[in-house]
Structure formats: structure tokens, C-alpha cells
Amino acid sequence: DATDRILQFSPIYFDASVEQLWLALTSGASLVLISEDEILDIASFKGYLEAQRITHLHTTPSFLERIDLVEVATLRRIIVGGEACSVSLAKKYI
């Protein structure tokens, strides 16, 4: 809805970017852009999510395994795809 802030995590040439764009366009949510450098800097990525008040993140399981986002209070949903997600990773965020 209009209170959501969706991170444009995927590059525009990747199919998941379509979901991120259309969710924002069809729901009135804000689409928040991020640079590749900020994505690759795991140390500052969590801070970026908090500073931008991101509520929706779509990422790969392998990226999510490298960072702990459990304490990011603004996140309402994390979507993972593109590869197999381990049961232990899924249980971490349930």
C-alpha cells in the first residue's frame, strides 16, 4: 500500500526488477533506488535499509545468508528467489 517502501534491489535487466517496479506502481508504494556499490557494501546495506525505512525487499537467498536483517524493524516482508532457499534461512525470518 502507500505506506510501503520497496527497494529496487534487482538491476533493470533482471526479471525480479519487474516485480519491484510494478508493486510500487500498482499499490502507490514508494520505489527506493540504491546503487550497486551500496548493495555490495554489506556493512552499510543494513543501515541503508533502516535509513530509507524499507518495508519490502526481494533478494536472493545467497545474499540474505551474508547479512542478518532480523533486527531491521521497518521490514515487513522479504521475498527470496532465483535459487533454492534453505529451510534454516526461511525459519530465521518466520
Side-chain angles (χ1 to χ4, degrees):
D1 63 29
T3 65
D4 279 309
R5 296 182 54 80
I6 300 168
L7 184 66
Q8 180 66 47
F9 182 84
S10 302
I12 196 72
Y13 54 81
F14 188 60
D15 61 347
S17 69
V18 175
E19 176 233 357
Q20 295 154 18
L21 290 166
W22 280 102
L23 274 177
L25 287 171
T26 60
S27 68
S30 297
L31 184 68
V32 179
L33 304 179
I34 186 170
S35 72
E36 184 177 356
D37 290 339
E38 288 171 306
I39 290 173
L40 295 175
D41 184 358
I42 295 295
S44 66
F45 183 76
K46 184 176 174 179
Y48 186 86
L49 295 179
E50 292 169 336
Q52 295 298 320
R53 301 177 330 276
I54 301 301
T55 61
H56 179 99
L57 173 64
H58 185 158
T59 186
T60 59
S62 57
F63 183 86
L64 193 55
E65 286 174 349
R66 295 174 38 212
I67 188 168
D68 185 3
L69 299 178
V70 172
E71 296 176 4
V72 179
T74 60
L75 277 174
R76 295 180 193 160
R77 71 194 65 80
I78 300 173
I79 308 295
V80 293
E83 57 197 41
C85 181
S86 70
V87 173
S88 62
L89 181 61
K91 284 183 178 181
K92 181 177 179 179
Y93 290 96
I94 292 178

Coordinates of all heavy atoms in Angstrom, one line a residue:
D1 N 0.8 -1.2 0.0 CA 0.0 0.0 0.0 C 0.9 1.2 0.0 O 2.1 1.2 -0.1 CB -1.0 0.0 1.2 CG -0.3 0.0 2.5 OD1 0.8 0.5 2.7 OD2 -0.9 -0.6 3.5
A2 N 0.3 2.4 0.1 CA 1.0 3.6 0.0 C 2.0 3.8 1.2 O 2.9 4.7 1.1 CB 0.0 4.8 0.0
T3 N 2.0 3.0 2.2 CA 2.9 3.2 3.3 C 4.2 2.3 3.0 O 5.2 2.5 3.8 CB 2.3 2.7 4.7 OG1 2.0 1.4 4.6 CG2 1.1 3.6 5.0
D4 N 4.2 1.4 2.0 CA 5.3 0.6 1.7 C 6.4 1.4 1.0 O 6.2 2.3 0.3 CB 4.9 -0.6 0.9 CG 4.3 -1.7 1.7 OD1 4.9 -2.1 2.7 OD2 3.2 -2.2 1.4
R5 N 7.7 0.9 1.3 CA 8.8 1.5 0.6 C 9.6 0.2 0.1 O 10.2 -0.5 0.8 CB 9.7 2.3 1.6 CG 8.9 3.5 2.1 CD 9.7 4.4 3.0 NE 10.9 4.9 2.5 CZ 11.1 5.9 1.6 NH1 10.1 6.5 1.1 NH2 12.3 6.2 1.2
I6 N 9.6 0.1 -1.2 CA 10.1 -1.1 -1.9 C 11.5 -0.7 -2.4 O 11.7 0.2 -3.1 CB 9.2 -1.5 -3.1 CG1 7.8 -1.8 -2.5 CG2 9.8 -2.6 -3.9 CD1 6.7 -2.0 -3.6
L7 N 12.5 -1.6 -2.1 CA 13.8 -1.4 -2.6 C 14.0 -1.9 -4.0 O 13.7 -3.1 -4.2 CB 14.8 -2.1 -1.6 CG 16.3 -1.8 -2.0 CD1 16.7 -0.3 -1.8 CD2 17.2 -2.7 -1.2
Q8 N 14.5 -1.1 -4.9 CA 14.8 -1.6 -6.2 C 16.2 -2.3 -6.2 O 17.2 -1.7 -6.6 CB 14.8 -0.4 -7.2 CG 15.1 -0.8 -8.7 CD 14.0 -1.6 -9.3 OE1 12.9 -1.3 -9.2 NE2 14.4 -2.7 -9.9
F9 N 16.1 -3.5 -5.6 CA 17.4 -4.3 -5.4 C 17.9 -4.9 -6.7 O 19.1 -4.9 -6.9 CB 17.0 -5.4 -4.4 CG 18.2 -6.2 -4.0 CD1 19.1 -5.8 -3.0 CD2 18.5 -7.4 -4.6 CE1 20.2 -6.5 -2.6 CE2 19.6 -8.2 -4.3 CZ 20.4 -7.7 -3.3
S10 N 17.0 -5.3 -7.5 CA 17.5 -6.0 -8.8 C 17.8 -5.0 -9.9 O 17.1 -4.0 -10.1 CB 16.4 -7.0 -9.2 OG 16.1 -7.9 -8.2
P11 N 18.8 -5.3 -10.7 CA 19.1 -4.5 -11.8 C 17.9 -4.6 -12.8 O 17.2 -5.6 -12.9 CB 20.3 -5.1 -12.5 CG 20.8 -6.2 -11.6 CD 19.8 -6.4 -10.5
I12 N 17.7 -3.5 -13.6 CA 16.6 -3.4 -14.5 C 16.6 -4.6 -15.6 O 15.5 -4.9 -16.0 CB 16.6 -2.0 -15.2 CG1 15.2 -1.8 -15.8 CG2 17.7 -1.9 -16.2 CD1 14.1 -1.5 -14.9
Y13 N 17.7 -5.2 -15.9 CA 17.7 -6.3 -16.8 C 17.4 -7.6 -16.2 O 17.3 -8.6 -16.9 CB 19.1 -6.3 -17.5 CG 20.3 -6.4 -16.6 CD1 20.6 -7.6 -16.0 CD2 21.0 -5.3 -16.3 CE1 21.7 -7.7 -15.1 CE2 22.0 -5.4 -15.4 CZ 22.4 -6.6 -14.8 OH 23.4 -6.6 -13.9
F14 N 17.1 -7.7 -14.9 CA 16.8 -8.9 -14.2 C 15.3 -9.0 -14.0 O 14.7 -8.0 -13.7 CB 17.5 -9.0 -12.9 CG 17.4 -10.3 -12.2 CD1 17.9 -11.5 -12.7 CD2 16.8 -10.3 -10.9 CE1 17.8 -12.7 -12.0 CE2 16.7 -11.5 -10.2 CZ 17.2 -12.7 -10.8
D15 N 14.7 -10.1 -14.3 CA 13.2 -10.2 -14.2 C 12.6 -9.8 -12.9 O 11.5 -9.3 -12.8 CB 12.7 -11.6 -14.6 CG 13.2 -12.7 -13.7 OD1 14.2 -12.5 -12.9 OD2 12.7 -13.9 -13.9
A16 N 13.3 -10.0 -11.8 CA 12.7 -9.6 -10.5 C 12.5 -8.1 -10.4 O 11.7 -7.7 -9.6 CB 13.6 -10.1 -9.4
S17 N 13.2 -7.3 -11.2 CA 13.0 -5.9 -11.2 C 11.6 -5.5 -11.6 O 11.1 -4.5 -11.1 CB 14.1 -5.2 -12.0 OG 13.8 -5.4 -13.4
V18 N 11.0 -6.3 -12.4 CA 9.6 -6.0 -12.9 C 8.7 -6.1 -11.7 O 7.8 -5.2 -11.6 CB 9.2 -7.0 -14.0 CG1 7.8 -6.8 -14.4 CG2 10.1 -6.8 -15.2
E19 N 8.9 -7.1 -10.9 CA 8.0 -7.2 -9.7 C 8.2 -5.9 -8.8 O 7.2 -5.3 -8.3 CB 8.4 -8.4 -8.9 CG 7.6 -8.5 -7.6 CD 8.5 -8.7 -6.3 OE1 9.7 -8.9 -6.5 OE2 7.9 -8.8 -5.2
Q20 N 9.4 -5.5 -8.6 CA 9.7 -4.4 -7.7 C 9.1 -3.1 -8.3 O 8.5 -2.3 -7.5 CB 11.2 -4.2 -7.5 CG 11.8 -5.4 -6.8 CD 13.2 -5.7 -7.0 OE1 14.0 -4.9 -7.5 NE2 13.7 -6.9 -6.7
L21 N 9.2 -2.9 -9.6 CA 8.6 -1.7 -10.2 C 7.1 -1.7 -10.2 O 6.5 -0.7 -9.8 CB 9.1 -1.6 -11.7 CG 10.6 -1.3 -11.9 CD1 11.0 -1.6 -13.3 CD2 10.8 0.2 -11.6
W22 N 6.5 -2.8 -10.6 CA 5.1 -2.9 -10.7 C 4.4 -2.9 -9.3 O 3.3 -2.4 -9.1 CB 4.6 -4.1 -11.5 CG 4.7 -3.8 -12.9 CD1 5.7 -4.1 -13.8 CD2 3.9 -2.9 -13.7 NE1 5.5 -3.6 -15.0 CE2 4.4 -2.8 -15.0 CE3 2.7 -2.2 -13.4 CZ2 3.8 -2.1 -16.0 CZ3 2.1 -1.5 -14.4 CH2 2.6 -1.4 -15.7
L23 N 5.0 -3.5 -8.3 CA 4.4 -3.4 -6.9 C 4.3 -1.9 -6.5 O 3.2 -1.5 -6.0 CB 5.3 -4.1 -5.9 CG 5.0 -5.6 -5.8 CD1 6.0 -6.2 -4.8 CD2 3.6 -5.9 -5.3
A24 N 5.3 -1.2 -6.8 CA 5.2 0.2 -6.4 C 4.2 1.0 -7.3 O 3.4 1.7 -6.7 CB 6.6 0.9 -6.6
L25 N 4.2 0.7 -8.6 CA 3.3 1.5 -9.5 C 1.8 1.1 -9.2 O 1.0 2.0 -9.3 CB 3.6 1.1 -10.9 CG 4.9 1.8 -11.5 CD1 5.2 1.2 -12.8 CD2 4.7 3.3 -11.5
T26 N 1.5 -0.1 -8.9 CA 0.1 -0.5 -8.7 C -0.4 -0.4 -7.3 O -1.6 -0.4 -7.1 CB 0.0 -2.0 -9.2 OG1 0.8 -2.9 -8.4 CG2 0.3 -2.2 -10.6
S27 N 0.5 -0.1 -6.4 CA 0.0 0.0 -5.0 C 0.1 1.4 -4.4 O -0.4 1.6 -3.3 CB 0.8 -1.0 -4.1 OG 2.1 -0.6 -4.0
G28 N 0.8 2.2 -5.1 CA 1.1 3.6 -4.6 C 2.2 3.6 -3.6 O 2.5 4.6 -3.0
A29 N 3.0 2.5 -3.5 CA 4.2 2.5 -2.6 C 5.3 3.3 -3.2 O 5.3 3.6 -4.4 CB 4.6 1.0 -2.4
S30 N 6.3 3.6 -2.4 CA 7.5 4.3 -2.9 C 8.5 3.3 -3.4 O 8.7 2.3 -2.7 CB 8.1 5.1 -1.8 OG 7.2 6.1 -1.4
L31 N 9.1 3.6 -4.5 CA 10.2 2.8 -5.0 C 11.5 3.5 -4.6 O 11.7 4.6 -5.0 CB 10.1 2.6 -6.5 CG 11.2 1.7 -7.2 CD1 10.9 0.2 -6.7 CD2 11.1 1.8 -8.7
V32 N 12.4 2.8 -3.9 CA 13.6 3.4 -3.4 C 14.8 2.8 -4.2 O 15.0 1.6 -4.2 CB 13.8 3.1 -1.9 CG1 15.1 3.7 -1.4 CG2 12.6 3.7 -1.1
L33 N 15.6 3.7 -4.8 CA 16.7 3.2 -5.6 C 17.9 3.1 -4.7 O 18.1 3.8 -3.7 CB 16.9 4.2 -6.7 CG 15.8 4.5 -7.7 CD1 16.1 5.5 -8.7 CD2 15.2 3.2 -8.3
I34 N 18.8 2.2 -5.1 CA 20.1 2.0 -4.4 C 21.2 1.7 -5.4 O 20.9 1.1 -6.5 CB 19.9 0.8 -3.4 CG1 21.2 0.7 -2.6 CG2 19.6 -0.5 -4.2 CD1 21.0 -0.3 -1.4
S35 N 22.4 2.2 -5.2 CA 23.5 2.0 -6.1 C 24.1 0.6 -5.9 O 23.9 0.0 -4.8 CB 24.6 3.0 -5.9 OG 25.2 2.8 -4.6
E36 N 24.7 0.1 -6.9 CA 25.4 -1.2 -6.8 C 26.4 -1.2 -5.7 O 26.6 -2.2 -5.0 CB 26.0 -1.6 -8.1 CG 26.6 -3.0 -8.1 CD 27.2 -3.4 -9.5 OE1 27.0 -2.6 -10.5 OE2 27.8 -4.5 -9.6
D37 N 27.1 -0.1 -5.5 CA 28.2 0.0 -4.5 C 27.6 -0.2 -3.1 O 28.1 -0.8 -2.2 CB 28.9 1.3 -4.6 CG 29.8 1.4 -5.8 OD1 30.2 0.4 -6.4 OD2 30.1 2.6 -6.2
E38 N 26.4 0.4 -2.9 CA 25.7 0.3 -1.6 C 25.2 -1.2 -1.3 O 25.2 -1.6 -0.2 CB 24.6 1.3 -1.5 CG 25.0 2.7 -1.3 CD 23.9 3.7 -1.5 OE1 23.2 3.7 -2.5 OE2 23.8 4.5 -0.6
I39 N 24.8 -1.8 -2.4 CA 24.4 -3.2 -2.2 C 25.6 -4.1 -1.9 O 25.5 -5.0 -1.0 CB 23.7 -3.8 -3.5 CG1 22.3 -3.1 -3.7 CG2 23.5 -5.3 -3.5 CD1 21.7 -3.4 -5.0
L40 N 26.7 -3.9 -2.5 CA 27.9 -4.7 -2.3 C 28.6 -4.4 -1.0 O 29.4 -5.3 -0.5 CB 28.9 -4.5 -3.5 CG 28.3 -5.0 -4.8 CD1 29.3 -4.6 -5.9 CD2 28.0 -6.5 -4.8
D41 N 28.3 -3.3 -0.4 CA 28.9 -3.0 0.9 C 28.0 -3.5 2.0 O 27.1 -2.8 2.5 CB 29.1 -1.5 1.0 CG 29.8 -1.1 2.3 OD1 30.1 -2.0 3.2 OD2 30.1 0.1 2.5
I42 N 28.2 -4.8 2.4 CA 27.3 -5.4 3.4 C 27.3 -4.6 4.7 O 26.2 -4.6 5.3 CB 27.8 -6.9 3.6 CG1 27.6 -7.7 2.3 CG2 27.0 -7.5 4.8 CD1 26.2 -7.9 1.9
A43 N 28.4 -4.0 5.0 CA 28.4 -3.3 6.3 C 27.5 -2.1 6.3 O 26.9 -1.8 7.4 CB 29.9 -2.8 6.5
S44 N 27.2 -1.5 5.2 CA 26.4 -0.3 5.2 C 25.0 -0.6 4.7 O 24.1 0.2 4.8 CB 27.0 0.8 4.4 OG 27.1 0.5 3.1
F45 N 24.8 -1.8 4.1 CA 23.5 -2.1 3.5 C 22.3 -2.1 4.5 O 21.3 -1.6 4.3 CB 23.5 -3.5 2.8 CG 22.3 -3.9 2.1 CD1 21.9 -3.4 0.9 CD2 21.4 -4.8 2.7 CE1 20.8 -3.7 0.2 CE2 20.2 -5.2 2.0 CZ 19.9 -4.6 0.8
K46 N 22.6 -2.7 5.7 CA 21.6 -2.8 6.7 C 21.2 -1.3 7.2 O 20.0 -1.0 7.3 CB 22.1 -3.6 7.9 CG 21.1 -3.8 9.0 CD 21.7 -4.7 10.1 CE 20.9 -4.9 11.3 NZ 21.5 -5.8 12.2
G47 N 22.2 -0.5 7.3 CA 22.0 0.9 7.7 C 21.2 1.6 6.6 O 20.3 2.5 6.9
Y48 N 21.4 1.3 5.3 CA 20.7 1.9 4.3 C 19.2 1.6 4.3 O 18.3 2.4 4.2 CB 21.2 1.5 2.9 CG 20.6 2.2 1.7 CD1 21.1 3.4 1.3 CD2 19.5 1.6 1.1 CE1 20.5 4.1 0.2 CE2 18.9 2.3 0.0 CZ 19.4 3.5 -0.4 OH 18.8 4.2 -1.5
L49 N 18.9 0.3 4.6 CA 17.5 -0.2 4.7 C 16.8 0.6 5.9 O 15.7 1.0 5.7 CB 17.5 -1.7 5.0 CG 18.0 -2.6 3.9 CD1 17.8 -4.1 4.4 CD2 17.2 -2.4 2.6
E50 N 17.5 0.7 7.0 CA 16.9 1.4 8.1 C 16.7 2.9 7.8 O 15.7 3.5 8.1 CB 17.8 1.2 9.3 CG 17.8 -0.2 9.8 CD 18.9 -0.5 10.9 OE1 19.9 0.2 10.9 OE2 18.7 -1.5 11.6
A51 N 17.7 3.5 7.2 CA 17.7 5.0 6.9 C 16.5 5.3 5.9 O 15.9 6.3 6.1 CB 19.0 5.5 6.4
Q52 N 16.4 4.4 5.0 CA 15.3 4.6 3.9 C 14.0 4.0 4.3 O 13.0 4.1 3.6 CB 15.8 4.0 2.6 CG 17.0 4.6 2.0 CD 16.8 6.1 1.7 OE1 15.7 6.5 1.2 NE2 17.7 7.0 2.0
R53 N 13.9 3.4 5.5 CA 12.7 2.8 6.0 C 12.1 1.8 5.0 O 10.9 1.8 4.8 CB 11.7 3.9 6.4 CG 12.2 4.8 7.5 CD 11.2 6.0 7.8 NE 10.3 6.5 6.8 CZ 10.6 7.4 5.9 NH1 11.9 7.9 5.9 NH2 9.8 7.8 5.0
I54 N 12.9 0.9 4.5 CA 12.5 -0.1 3.5 C 11.5 -1.1 4.2 O 11.9 -1.6 5.3 CB 13.7 -0.8 2.9 CG1 14.6 0.2 2.2 CG2 13.2 -1.9 2.0 CD1 14.0 1.0 1.1
T55 N 10.4 -1.4 3.6 CA 9.5 -2.3 4.1 C 9.4 -3.6 3.3 O 8.9 -4.6 3.7 CB 8.0 -1.7 4.1 OG1 7.6 -1.4 2.8 CG2 7.9 -0.5 5.0
H56 N 9.9 -3.6 2.0 CA 9.8 -4.7 1.1 C 11.2 -4.9 0.4 O 11.7 -4.0 -0.2 CB 8.7 -4.4 0.1 CG 8.6 -5.5 -0.9 ND1 7.6 -6.5 -0.8 CD2 9.2 -5.9 -2.1 CE1 7.6 -7.3 -1.9 NE2 8.7 -7.0 -2.6
L57 N 11.7 -6.1 0.6 CA 13.0 -6.5 0.0 C 12.8 -7.8 -0.8 O 12.4 -8.8 -0.2 CB 14.1 -6.6 1.0 CG 15.4 -7.1 0.6 CD1 16.1 -6.2 -0.4 CD2 16.3 -7.4 1.8
H58 N 13.2 -7.8 -2.0 CA 13.3 -9.0 -2.9 C 14.7 -9.2 -3.2 O 15.4 -8.4 -3.9 CB 12.5 -8.8 -4.1 CG 12.3 -10.0 -5.0 ND1 11.3 -10.2 -5.8 CD2 13.1 -11.2 -5.0 CE1 11.5 -11.4 -6.4 NE2 12.5 -12.0 -6.0
T59 N 15.3 -10.4 -2.7 CA 16.7 -10.7 -2.9 C 16.9 -12.2 -3.1 O 15.9 -12.9 -3.1 CB 17.5 -10.2 -1.7 OG1 18.9 -10.3 -1.9 CG2 17.1 -10.9 -0.4
T60 N 18.1 -12.6 -3.3 CA 18.4 -14.0 -3.4 C 18.8 -14.6 -2.1 O 19.3 -13.8 -1.2 CB 19.7 -14.2 -4.4 OG1 20.8 -13.5 -3.8 CG2 19.4 -13.7 -5.8
P61 N 18.6 -15.9 -1.9 CA 18.9 -16.5 -0.6 C 20.4 -16.3 -0.3 O 20.8 -16.1 0.9 CB 18.5 -18.0 -0.8 CG 17.5 -17.9 -1.8 CD 17.8 -16.8 -2.7
S62 N 21.3 -16.4 -1.3 CA 22.7 -16.3 -1.0 C 23.1 -15.0 -0.5 O 24.0 -14.8 0.3 CB 23.5 -16.7 -2.3 OG 23.2 -15.9 -3.4
F63 N 22.4 -13.9 -1.0 CA 22.7 -12.6 -0.4 C 22.2 -12.5 1.0 O 22.9 -12.0 1.9 CB 22.0 -11.5 -1.3 CG 22.3 -10.1 -0.8 CD1 23.5 -9.4 -1.2 CD2 21.5 -9.4 0.1 CE1 23.8 -8.2 -0.8 CE2 21.8 -8.2 0.5 CZ 22.9 -7.5 0.1
L64 N 21.0 -13.0 1.2 CA 20.4 -12.9 2.5 C 21.2 -13.7 3.6 O 21.2 -13.3 4.8 CB 18.9 -13.4 2.5 CG 18.0 -13.1 3.7 CD1 18.0 -11.7 4.0 CD2 16.6 -13.7 3.4
E65 N 21.8 -14.8 3.2 CA 22.6 -15.5 4.1 C 23.9 -14.8 4.6 O 24.4 -15.0 5.6 CB 23.1 -16.9 3.4 CG 22.0 -17.9 3.3 CD 22.3 -19.1 2.6 OE1 23.4 -19.1 1.9 OE2 21.6 -20.1 2.6
R66 N 24.3 -13.8 3.8 CA 25.5 -13.0 4.1 C 25.2 -11.8 5.1 O 26.2 -11.2 5.6 CB 26.1 -12.4 2.8 CG 26.6 -13.5 1.9 CD 27.1 -13.0 0.6 NE 27.8 -11.7 0.7 CZ 27.8 -10.8 -0.3 NH1 27.1 -11.0 -1.4 NH2 28.5 -9.7 -0.2
I67 N 24.0 -11.6 5.4 CA 23.6 -10.4 6.2 C 22.5 -10.8 7.1 O 21.6 -11.6 6.8 CB 23.2 -9.2 5.3 CG1 23.0 -7.9 6.1 CG2 22.0 -9.5 4.4 CD1 23.0 -6.7 5.3
D68 N 22.4 -10.2 8.3 CA 21.4 -10.5 9.3 C 20.4 -9.3 9.3 O 20.8 -8.2 9.8 CB 21.9 -10.8 10.7 CG 20.9 -11.2 11.7 OD1 19.7 -11.3 11.3 OD2 21.2 -11.4 12.8
L69 N 19.2 -9.5 8.8 CA 18.2 -8.4 8.7 C 17.1 -8.6 9.7 O 16.1 -7.8 9.7 CB 17.7 -8.3 7.3 CG 18.7 -8.1 6.2 CD1 18.0 -8.0 4.8 CD2 19.4 -6.7 6.4
V70 N 17.2 -9.5 10.6 CA 16.2 -9.8 11.6 C 15.8 -8.5 12.4 O 14.7 -8.3 12.7 CB 16.6 -11.0 12.5 CG1 15.6 -11.1 13.7 CG2 16.7 -12.3 11.7
E71 N 16.8 -7.7 12.7 CA 16.6 -6.6 13.6 C 16.2 -5.3 12.8 O 16.0 -4.3 13.5 CB 17.9 -6.3 14.4 CG 18.2 -7.4 15.4 CD 19.5 -7.2 16.1 OE1 20.1 -6.1 15.9 OE2 19.9 -8.1 16.8
V72 N 16.0 -5.4 11.5 CA 15.6 -4.2 10.8 C 14.1 -4.1 11.0 O 13.3 -4.8 10.3 CB 15.9 -4.3 9.3 CG1 15.4 -3.1 8.5 CG2 17.4 -4.4 9.1
A73 N 13.7 -3.2 11.8 CA 12.3 -3.1 12.3 C 11.3 -2.7 11.2 O 10.1 -3.0 11.3 CB 12.2 -2.1 13.5
T74 N 11.8 -2.0 10.2 CA 10.9 -1.5 9.2 C 10.5 -2.6 8.1 O 9.5 -2.4 7.5 CB 11.5 -0.3 8.4 OG1 12.7 -0.7 7.8 CG2 11.7 0.9 9.3
L75 N 11.3 -3.6 8.0 CA 11.0 -4.7 7.0 C 9.7 -5.4 7.4 O 9.6 -6.0 8.5 CB 12.2 -5.7 6.9 CG 13.3 -5.2 6.0 CD1 14.4 -6.3 6.2 CD2 12.9 -5.1 4.6
R76 N 8.8 -5.4 6.5 CA 7.5 -6.2 6.7 C 7.6 -7.5 5.9 O 6.9 -8.4 6.3 CB 6.3 -5.4 6.1 CG 6.1 -4.1 6.9 CD 4.9 -3.4 6.3 NE 4.8 -2.0 6.8 CZ 4.1 -1.0 6.2 NH1 3.5 -1.3 5.1 NH2 4.2 0.2 6.7
R77 N 8.3 -7.5 4.8 CA 8.4 -8.7 4.0 C 9.7 -8.8 3.3 O 10.3 -7.8 2.9 CB 7.2 -8.9 3.1 CG 7.2 -7.9 1.9 CD 5.9 -7.9 1.2 NE 4.8 -7.3 1.9 CZ 4.6 -6.0 2.1 NH1 5.5 -5.1 1.6 NH2 3.6 -5.6 2.8
I78 N 10.2 -10.0 3.3 CA 11.4 -10.3 2.5 C 11.0 -11.5 1.5 O 10.6 -12.5 2.0 CB 12.6 -10.8 3.4 CG1 12.9 -9.7 4.4 CG2 13.8 -11.2 2.5 CD1 14.0 -10.1 5.4
I79 N 11.2 -11.2 0.3 CA 11.0 -12.2 -0.8 C 12.3 -12.7 -1.3 O 13.2 -11.9 -1.6 CB 10.2 -11.6 -2.0 CG1 8.9 -10.8 -1.5 CG2 9.9 -12.6 -3.0 CD1 7.9 -11.7 -0.9
V80 N 12.5 -14.0 -1.3 CA 13.7 -14.6 -1.9 C 13.4 -15.4 -3.1 O 12.3 -16.1 -3.1 CB 14.5 -15.4 -0.8 CG1 15.0 -14.5 0.3 CG2 13.7 -16.5 -0.2
G81 N 14.3 -15.4 -4.0 CA 14.1 -16.2 -5.3 C 15.3 -16.3 -6.1 O 16.3 -15.7 -5.8
G82 N 15.2 -17.0 -7.2 CA 16.3 -17.1 -8.1 C 17.2 -18.3 -7.8 O 18.1 -18.7 -8.7
E83 N 17.1 -18.9 -6.7 CA 17.9 -20.1 -6.3 C 17.2 -20.7 -5.1 O 16.3 -20.1 -4.5 CB 19.3 -19.7 -6.0 CG 19.4 -18.7 -4.9 CD 20.8 -18.0 -4.8 OE1 21.4 -17.7 -5.9 OE2 21.3 -17.8 -3.7
A84 N 17.6 -21.9 -4.7 CA 17.0 -22.6 -3.6 C 17.2 -21.9 -2.3 O 18.3 -21.4 -2.0 CB 17.5 -24.0 -3.5
C85 N 16.2 -21.8 -1.5 CA 16.3 -21.2 -0.1 C 16.3 -22.4 0.9 O 15.4 -23.2 0.9 CB 15.1 -20.3 0.1 SG 15.2 -19.5 1.7
S86 N 17.3 -22.4 1.8 CA 17.4 -23.4 2.8 C 16.3 -23.3 3.8 O 15.8 -22.2 4.1 CB 18.8 -23.4 3.5 OG 18.9 -22.2 4.3
V87 N 15.9 -24.4 4.4 CA 14.9 -24.4 5.4 C 15.3 -23.5 6.6 O 14.6 -22.7 7.2 CB 14.5 -25.8 5.9 CG1 13.6 -25.8 7.1 CG2 13.9 -26.6 4.7
S88 N 16.6 -23.6 7.0 CA 17.1 -22.8 8.1 C 17.0 -21.3 7.9 O 16.7 -20.6 8.8 CB 18.5 -23.3 8.5 OG 19.4 -23.0 7.4
L89 N 17.3 -20.9 6.6 CA 17.2 -19.5 6.3 C 15.8 -19.0 6.4 O 15.5 -18.0 6.9 CB 17.8 -19.2 4.9 CG 17.8 -17.7 4.5 CD1 18.6 -16.8 5.5 CD2 18.3 -17.6 3.1
A90 N 14.9 -19.8 5.8 CA 13.4 -19.4 5.9 C 13.0 -19.4 7.3 O 12.2 -18.4 7.7 CB 12.6 -20.5 5.1
K91 N 13.3 -20.3 8.2 CA 12.9 -20.3 9.6 C 13.4 -19.1 10.3 O 12.8 -18.6 11.3 CB 13.3 -21.6 10.2 CG 12.5 -22.8 9.8 CD 12.9 -24.0 10.6 CE 12.0 -25.2 10.2 NZ 12.4 -26.4 10.9
K92 N 14.6 -18.6 9.9 CA 15.2 -17.4 10.6 C 14.3 -16.2 10.5 O 14.3 -15.4 11.4 CB 16.5 -17.1 9.9 CG 17.3 -16.0 10.6 CD 18.6 -15.8 9.9 CE 19.4 -14.7 10.4 NZ 20.7 -14.6 9.8
Y93 N 13.5 -16.1 9.4 CA 12.7 -14.9 9.2 C 11.2 -15.2 9.4 O 10.4 -14.3 9.1 CB 13.0 -14.4 7.8 CG 14.3 -13.8 7.7 CD1 15.4 -14.5 7.3 CD2 14.6 -12.5 8.2 CE1 16.7 -13.9 7.2 CE2 15.8 -11.9 8.2 CZ 16.9 -12.7 7.7 OH 18.2 -12.1 7.7
I94 N 10.8 -16.3 9.9 CA 9.4 -16.6 10.1 C 9.0 -16.1 11.5 O 9.6 -16.1 12.4 CB 9.1 -18.1 10.0 CG1 9.3 -18.6 8.6 CG2 7.7 -18.4 10.5 CD1 9.1 -20.0 8.4

